[in-house]
Amino acid sequence: MALRRPILHKVLDYEDEFFALLMLVLETHSMRTTDASFSESLYGLRRRTVNFKLKKDALHFNSTDGIQNSGIEKHQRVLSVVFLVVLPYFKSKLHSIYSRERESVVRASLWGPGDERSDDTDYLDMAESPVEQTRASGHEISSRARILQGAKKVIAACYPWIHTSHEGLAFAYQTLYLLDATGFYSLGLHALGIHVCRATVQEQMDASSRISRMRSRERERLRGPPWLKKLQGALLSCMYAALDYSQTGLIAAVFVFKMMEWWYQSAEERMSAPTIYPPPPPPPAPKVAKEGIKLPSDRTVCPLCSEKRANPSVVTVSGLVYCYGCIFKYVSQYKRCPVTLIPAEVEDIRRLFHDM
């Protein structure tokens, strides 16, 4: 178990890198073929370079005056992928380091500095083999640990300001974009000078023809014997098919995932829901004792005084209703119900505020 723990920890750590690499491939292919990000291409959007030209006869112009849109260049595609994938990946890593440092500070404040050591250090120490530990000197390990710890402290101190600045700028740009005060909805687009616009039919046709030309050139570059060219061509065809159907596959995967989530959530709710049983039948009516007082035919009449009930009160042991004064005196004296002769106390008398 001691060896499986660090291996599982490493696998979970590489999960972020795997998804980042997958998104890097998808975003690079989408930016290369459609001049748009993967999500933007789902909605038929395109990125265009913005060229500002000030009009000679106007000092002020709106977001559409003096702007000419053209296709983006190669360095803009590369930087777009950096803003879409690389920077968010590093930000998530900084956030994880900040969270661990914050947790270690809280743990140290609660249980003392002895427990300040993070789990990552334990995993690292457990993962190293004895041969590697003997090769590394104590001075190198201590110096590396000090450098790493200092870097983590610097990140923990600076990350809140970085996160606040990033979120503040994102909120400001999106607010200004909604108010039509700027044509850029993010700082990255503004820095690159790129507008996101709706793609025209001609642009979509041009993108399709460009993809065909690019793939034809890539197939012509294949070198080697015929069997190797066929193998490479088959691999390229599989890769092209995967990239072409990635959008449809993503939508289908999201749909299947949400359906499975709904299905298992509904099943879990059905299993965790309490079983609803039918209400129990009412108890049988109390029997009139042979030596007891007979019940009158009129239900509004008190069996003791044979008059209409005043301040109706019920004896809980039998469920029969009497005048409060009559039943109080009778139960105080005989300690029973006058009709059923069931033992009763004064505490069993309850006042009724709604007499049927």
Side-chain angles (χ1 to χ4, degrees), residues 189-355:
L189 294 178
H190 198 174
L192 297 177
I194 293 176
H195 263 175
V196 177
C197 306
R198 182 72 62 181
T200 61
V201 178
Q202 184 63 36
E203 287 178 340
Q204 294 178 358
M205 294 174 62
D206 294 342
S208 300
S209 60
R210 183 173 57 183
I211 293 173
S212 301
R213 290 195 301 270
M214 291 171 55
R215 293 179 178 179
S216 299
R217 287 196 300 267
E218 290 175 354
R219 290 180 182 276
E220 292 174 357
R221 294 175 184 173
L222 299 179
R223 295 292 182 270
W227 64 270
L228 183 59
K229 289 184 179 180
K230 291 182 179 180
L231 179 61
Q232 293 175 352
L235 293 177
L236 284 178
S237 300
C238 294
M239 185 182 66
Y240 294 153
L243 293 174
D244 290 338
Y245 292 101
S246 58
Q247 296 181 358
T248 306
L250 178 63
I251 297 174
V254 170
F255 176 77
V256 172
F257 174 76
K258 299 302 291 184
M259 186 180 67
M260 297 285 290
E261 183 181 12
W262 169 81
W263 178 265
Y264 284 107
Q265 185 177 3
S266 302
E268 185 178 357
E269 290 177 355
R270 288 194 300 267
M271 294 177 61
S272 61
T275 305
I276 300 176
Y277 297 98
K287 296 181 180 180
V288 179
K290 294 180 180 180
E291 295 81 6
I293 301 175
K294 303 300 180 182
L295 286 173
S297 58
D298 189 358
R299 297 179 59 183
T300 62
V301 174
C302 176
L304 290 174
C305 63
S306 299
E307 295 180 0
K308 189 174 180 63
R309 289 190 295 259
N311 295 328
S313 301
V314 64
V315 180
T316 57
V317 295
S318 62
L320 299 176
V321 183
Y322 309 87
C323 298
Y324 180 77
C326 300
I327 193 61
F328 184 82
K329 292 178 183 179
Y330 187 91
V331 172
S332 299
Q333 183 178 356
Y334 298 102
K335 306 295 183 182
R336 65 184 184 184
C337 175
V339 176
T340 61
L341 302 182
I342 299 175
E345 298 292 339
V346 176
E347 290 78 7
D348 297 326
I349 301 173
R350 296 289 185 270
R351 170 71 191 278
L352 296 179
F353 295 92
H354 179 68
D355 192 8

Side-chain angles (χ1 to χ4, degrees), residues 155-174:
I155 292 173
C158 298
Y159 179 77
W161 298 97
I162 297 173
H163 179 72
T164 304
S165 302
H166 176 266
E167 296 298 325
L169 286 173
F171 176 76
Y173 266 94
Q174 292 177 6

Side-chain angles (χ1 to χ4, degrees), residues 43-206:
Y43 296 95
L45 302 176
R46 293 293 182 271
R47 295 192 171 202
R48 301 192 183 104
T49 303
V50 179
N51 298 321
F52 293 95
K53 292 184 178 181
L54 184 62
K55 293 184 177 180
K56 297 180 180 180
D57 55 347
L59 296 176
H60 303 282
F61 53 86
N62 55 22
S63 60
T64 59
D65 291 338
I67 296 179
Q68 292 182 352
N69 296 323
S70 60
I72 60 177
E73 300 177 0
K74 183 177 180 180
H75 72 279
Q76 291 177 325
R77 294 191 183 96
V78 175
L79 293 177
S80 296
V81 174
V82 170
F83 276 100
L84 289 170
V85 181
V86 179
L87 293 183
Y89 169 75
F90 282 113
K91 186 175 181 296
S92 66
K93 288 299 180 182
L94 292 177
H95 180 74
S96 62
I97 294 174
Y98 170 76
S99 299
R100 287 196 295 267
E101 287 297 313
R102 182 71 176 174
E103 183 180 355
S104 64
V105 170
V106 173
R107 189 187 300 116
S109 64
L110 292 177
W111 292 290
D115 294 334
E116 191 174 358
R117 188 180 181 184
S118 62
D119 296 337
D120 294 338
T121 307
D122 296 336
Y123 288 133
L124 182 61
D125 294 340
M126 294 172 61
E128 290 180 354
S129 63
V131 178
E132 293 174 350
Q133 291 179 358
T134 54
R135 289 179 180 177
S137 62
H139 177 70
E140 291 178 354
I141 295 177
S142 61
S143 61
R144 183 176 60 183
R146 284 197 301 269
I147 294 173
L148 290 176
Q149 191 65 23
K152 290 180 179 179
K153 290 185 180 297
V154 171
I155 292 173
C158 298
Y159 179 77
W161 298 97
I162 297 173
H163 179 72
T164 304
S165 302
H166 176 266
E167 296 298 325
L169 286 173
F171 176 76
Y173 266 94
Q174 292 177 6
T175 303
L176 293 175
Y177 184 77
L178 290 175
L179 298 176
D180 202 16
T182 181
F184 309 96
Y185 64 84
S186 68
L187 178 62
L189 294 178
H190 198 174
L192 297 177
I194 293 176
H195 263 175
V196 177
C197 306
R198 182 72 62 181
T200 61
V201 178
Q202 184 63 36
E203 287 178 340
Q204 294 178 358
M205 294 174 62
D206 294 342

